[in-house]
Amino acid sequence: MSERYSRIQIDPHTLERAEERGATAAEITDVIQTGFPFPARHGRLGKYKIYPFARKRGSRLYEQKRVEVFYTLEEDVLVTVYVF
């Protein structure tokens, strides 16, 4: 079941770091709204989603990338992002 959040607030520093790691703002929002939940610590929630990638990163070709988002529900949705 997908969840819809009215306001997903991505801190500019978090977005900058996510983009460095290979995730876009649209992917972050998509993961939060339609991703698969997994356990997270410290009172946060976690979701992930796998996207087609088919590109090189460094010297290795990756067919897919996994975007993991850790977030909290406060007034807005606040996020931390990892890309594998």
Side-chain angles (χ1 to χ4, degrees), residues 43-80:
R44 297 185 294 173
L45 301 168
K47 287 191 178 179
Y48 76 92
K49 195 165 186 178
I50 297 174
Y51 294 93
F53 192 61
R55 285 188 268 175
K56 274 191 167 185
R57 186 155 174 117
S59 61
R60 187 168 172 195
L61 177 66
Y62 293 91
E63 293 298 321
Q64 301 173 324
K65 69 177 177 179
R66 176 179 166 132
V67 178
E68 292 184 358
V69 177
F70 295 91
Y71 61 100
T72 60
L73 298 176
E74 295 176 9
E75 289 181 18
D76 300 322
V77 176
L78 307 173
V79 301
T80 300

Side-chain angles (χ1 to χ4, degrees), residues 10 13-24 28 81-83:
I10 305 171
H13 174 73
T14 301
L15 182 56
E16 181 180 325
R17 296 288 299 174
E19 288 172 344
E20 289 172 3
R21 295 172 179 159
T24 66
I28 295 166
V81 179
Y82 297 97
V83 178

